[in-house]
Amino acid sequence: MGKQKIVQEEPLEKKLWKTADKLRKNMDAAEYKHVVLGLIFLKYISDAHEELYQKLVEQKSEGANPEDKNEYTAEKVFYVPQKARWQYIQGRAALPTIGKDVDDAMDAIEKDNPSLKGVLPKVYAQEKLDKATVGGLINLIGTAVLGTKEAQSKDILGKVYEYFLGEFALAEGKKGGQFYTPSSVVRLLVEMLEPYEGRVFDPCCGSGGMFVQSEKFIKAHTDHYKKKNGNGLSFNPVDRISIYGQESNQTTWRLAKMNLSIRGIDSSNVKWNNEGSFLNNAHKDLKADFVIANPPFNDSDWSGDLLKNDARWKILGENLIPPSGNANYAWIMHFLYHLAPTGQAGFVLSKGSLTTQTNTEGEIRKALIEKGLVDCIVNLPTKLFLNTQIPACLWFLSRNKANGSYRDRKDEILFIDARNLGFLVNRRNRDLSAEDIQNVAGTYHNWRSKEGGYEDIAGFCKSVTIEEVRKLNYVLTPGRYVGLPDDEDDFNFEERFTSLKAELEKQLSEEDELNKKILENLARIHIDEKP
């Protein structure tokens, strides 16, 4: 018997994306994003409402009222008015008034749910949006999600939303990076920090990816809580973290609120104001257990000149004012200011932050190192980010590296050079695999653990004393410490040159063959002369 070919079914989110992208026609991805993501959100809250509605109908004899808003508030489910329910909307998908119907539905939901006020997009009635596209999307999202039991679950819709966010970010290119951090970078930050419980803070939260990943991390590590809890009181693991965020772009903040609501994550402490975290800090008194963030790279427009006397610049025990022409070190001090006494921070910055001596940047980095706050630096591969080709790195700070939770490492810093990890997704973008993430996070965990059995690996990781960093003038580039991989010693120039020459000759020969075939095929084409 011949082997049966196994055909792997394409994931739902990919199938949906392909069709939704066809419906986009010539519409700009930046605008189309709000149309599609708004409908996915509407479908999500309608499904959740419908599920509880049916349960309340069954309990009518016991006094339940399916149209009582309080019943939904008590179960943390959004109440959806009749004319905003999916069944009603889908029944009108073919009508020319469907755009206005959806806008009205969004308005009605906001009126009945104050926490969604100002969050939902009302863009469906605009003239330039083809109403056939709106109707097509409604049928697409409705049919696909209602097709299977599994598809009705929140997680499926959450996956669809997340996948669409990533695809829109890719489609928007440079602008997409303003609201979306690549999921592999978010996963790496969260896996390294391990936010099992406490307050998680992101003061430039974009579409909320750091919070979603923190919740995923907790769900993936439920065994940790069982072991720790023993026979004591058990809590829902997700309730062990609370999230705090701030975003200055209102459109992005709306995406974050919807993204978190679809996951059932309380977003009441995710704030928006257009002044941003520096000028109008929405969480002035917050001391967080974890700060996880991807601030804008090398931002020169952060109003530093207006904040010369800010208390945040004294967090290192002396008044170190970050330069007004670049916000990188202002972000570092902002993160540190909000860390609890045993808190940890993990964040993305441009690689230039590891060596800069501009204005006070070198002095601030020196103070961070001398006070034992820098825990680990990771050099990232190129092409990971959608909006910039600037080389990037990860910083990890710890307020107390001798607090007993891990090994006392207050005089050490771990350097990891991950530049050679990852794989190309396309010509312009690279991604990290699950193995890459495990490799880097595992190295960090082994290093800080009392029983980790960490060992330096030439060309990849090295544990360095602060004295060694001092000798290199407080430069934090991993490449300066980890050295070259051992296999570089075996490099044979003659062997490598011969191999490359043979490959080039083969390619030239193939090119000749191809050119001949093209000429032969062109010679067969005869064009009749015009009469």
Side-chain angles (χ1 to χ4, degrees):
M1 271 177 72
K3 281 185 183 175
Q4 227 175 359
K5 197 178 174 184
I6 299 169
V7 180
Q8 220 163 15
E9 200 181 339
E10 202 170 28
L12 175 70
E13 58 270 25
K14 283 193 180 176
K15 278 196 274 188
L16 278 177
W17 170 258
K18 280 183 184 171
T19 313
D21 200 37
K22 274 183 198 162
L23 286 169
R24 176 158 75 97
K25 297 171 189 164
N26 295 324
M27 193 171 187
D28 186 52
E31 290 183 80
Y32 191 59
K33 171 179 74 201
H34 301 293
V35 174
V36 178
L37 296 177
L39 287 174
I40 292 173
F41 184 75
L42 183 61
K43 181 71 178 73
Y44 158 74
I45 59 168
S46 275
D47 277 358
H49 176 277
E50 181 63 20
E51 198 179 347
L52 183 54
Y53 180 88
Q54 292 303 336
K55 203 187 274 182
L56 292 170
V57 168
E58 287 169 18
Q59 294 169 355
K60 258 185 171 179
S61 59
E62 298 163 35
N65 179 0
E67 292 298 340
D68 182 355
K69 289 176 203 169
N70 295 322
E71 299 271 17
Y72 297 86
T73 309
E75 295 293 327
K76 295 183 180 173
V77 170
F78 292 112
Y79 175 78
V80 182
Q82 286 188 355
K83 289 194 174 179
R85 292 174 195 169
W86 193 261
Q87 201 178 357
Y88 175 81
I89 295 291
Q90 194 164 2
R92 301 176 67 80
L95 299 179
T97 55
I98 185 61
K100 186 174 182 310
D101 290 333
V102 178
D103 279 353
D104 290 346
M106 297 292 188
D107 259 333
I109 291 167
E110 285 193 359
K111 275 178 194 156
D112 278 323
N113 299 278
S115 67
L116 291 176
K117 193 178 175 188
V119 171
L120 304 182
K122 273 88 70 179
V123 293
Y124 299 90
Q126 56 182 318
E127 268 185 39
K128 64 181 175 183
L129 180 58
D130 179 11
K131 300 305 170 281
T133 295
V134 179
L137 280 171
I138 289 170
N139 286 327
L140 172 71
I141 294 167
T143 309
V145 175
L146 291 173
T148 64
K149 263 189 183 179
E150 190 193 17
Q152 289 179 34
S153 74
K154 292 174 189 175
D155 195 40
I156 291 294
L157 274 177
K159 273 186 193 167
V160 170
Y161 193 92
E162 190 176 347
Y163 185 79
F164 274 45
L165 262 182
E167 290 298 313
F168 275 123
L170 270 174
E172 285 185 51
K174 207 169 180 179
K175 285 182 185 168
Q178 291 170 7
F179 66 86
Y180 182 79
T181 303
S183 63
S184 63
V185 176
V186 179
R187 280 206 310 278
L188 179 56
L189 279 167
V190 170
E191 286 293 332
M192 288 183 79
L193 284 176
E194 299 184 302
Y196 285 112
E197 57 186 275
R199 292 149 296 187
V200 178
F201 181 40
D202 182 353
C204 39
C205 67
S207 52
M210 303 295 181
F211 303 133
V212 171
Q213 191 57 41
S214 297
E215 195 228 15
K216 279 187 188 173
F217 173 84
I218 286 168
K219 284 184 174 170
H221 292 81
T222 47
D223 282 354
H224 166 87
Y225 301 98
K226 283 178 191 163
K227 280 181 204 163
K228 196 177 174 187
N229 199 54
N231 296 320
L233 265 177
S234 63
F235 291 96
N236 181 352
V238 177
D239 291 338
R240 289 178 182 264
I241 61 164
S242 46
I243 62 162
Y244 299 83
Q246 183 166 351
E247 175 55 46
S248 59
N249 182 315
Q250 193 180 33
T251 309
T252 305
W253 170 77
R254 286 178 181 146
L255 292 177
K257 294 284 276 187
M258 290 194 286
N259 193 12
L260 297 172
S261 293
I262 278 179
R263 300 276 177 184
I265 301 173
D266 176 14
S267 65
S268 53
N269 284 315
V270 177
K271 309 286 186 187
W272 164 77
N273 64 56
N274 58 14
E275 293 158 296
S277 289
F278 291 126
L279 282 177
N280 189 355
N281 188 354
H283 300 285
K284 284 189 179 70
D285 300 323
L286 174 68
K287 294 296 176 192
D289 299 289
F290 301 95
V291 172
I292 317 177
N294 174 20
F297 283 10
N298 303 328
D299 184 9
S300 59
D301 185 25
W302 66 284
S303 307
D305 286 333
L306 305 174
L307 296 163
K308 298 283 186 196
N309 298 316
D310 199 284
R312 286 170 285 189
W313 318 146
K314 294 174 182 143
I315 187 67
L316 289 165
E318 52 187 317
N319 195 20
L320 291 167
I321 303 168
S324 56
N326 189 320
N328 286 349
Y329 275 80
W331 280 115
I332 294 178
M333 293 169 96
H334 182 75
F335 300 150
L336 200 55
Y337 181 81
H338 281 291
L339 273 188
T342 57
Q344 304 168 69
F347 49 89
V348 188
L349 278 185
S350 73
K351 201 175 150 190
S353 63
L354 302 174
T355 54
T356 176
Q357 296 292 343
T358 309
N359 297 315
T360 51
E361 291 177 328
E363 285 176 63
I364 299 170
R365 190 173 61 253
K366 178 182 172 185
L368 289 165
I369 294 165
E370 289 293 351
K371 287 183 180 298
L373 295 163
V374 181
D375 204 24
C376 176
I377 299 289
V378 179
N379 205 356
L380 291 174
T382 56
K383 300 182 178 178
L384 281 179
F385 294 86
L386 303 171
N387 59 332
T388 179
Q389 294 298 317
I390 297 173
C393 62
L394 301 183
W395 285 66
F396 291 88
L397 303 182
S398 178
R399 280 303 289 264
N400 186 351
K401 293 201 275 184
N403 64 16
S405 300
Y406 305 104
R407 188 174 62 81
D408 181 353
R409 57 203 189 283
K410 63 179 181 295
D411 294 321
E412 300 169 30
I413 298 174
L414 176 66
F415 290 96
I416 299 176
D417 193 345
R419 279 179 300 176
N420 295 324
L421 301 186
F423 60 94
L424 280 172
V425 179
N426 54 42
R427 195 169 52 85
R428 296 178 62 184
N429 295 108
R430 184 178 287 275
D431 205 358
L432 293 170
S433 68
E435 290 74 28
D436 293 331
I437 292 169
Q438 188 50 48
N439 186 9
V440 176
T443 300
Y444 176 55
H445 295 161
N446 287 341
W447 173 76
R448 71 177 179 179
S449 163
K450 287 172 186 166
E451 302 89 21
Y454 166 85
E455 286 181 12
D456 290 341
I457 299 172
F460 179 64
C461 61
K462 187 170 174 61
S463 180
V464 170
T465 63
I466 288 182
E467 180 56 33
E468 290 172 79
V469 179
R470 205 176 279 137
K471 282 179 185 167
L472 286 184
N473 199 24
Y474 301 99
V475 162
L476 288 177
T477 313
R480 298 288 296 273
Y481 300 96
V482 302
L484 292 170
D486 286 338
D487 59 2
E488 288 293 316
D489 295 339
D490 301 328
F491 179 77
N492 185 320
F493 175 77
E494 191 179 342
E495 191 181 293
R496 181 72 62 88
F497 178 78
T498 307
S499 150
L500 289 172
K501 186 167 170 277
E503 193 179 330
L504 178 66
E505 285 168 353
K506 188 180 165 204
Q507 285 174 353
L508 289 172
S509 164
E510 284 171 358
E511 187 190 355
D512 281 344
E513 284 298 316
L514 195 61
N515 286 337
K516 276 181 198 165
K517 280 182 186 167
I518 290 170
L519 288 173
E520 283 168 14
N521 287 333
L522 286 174
R524 289 194 195 111
I525 299 172
H526 298 286
I527 300 171
D528 294 334
E529 287 182 10
K530 285 183 183 176

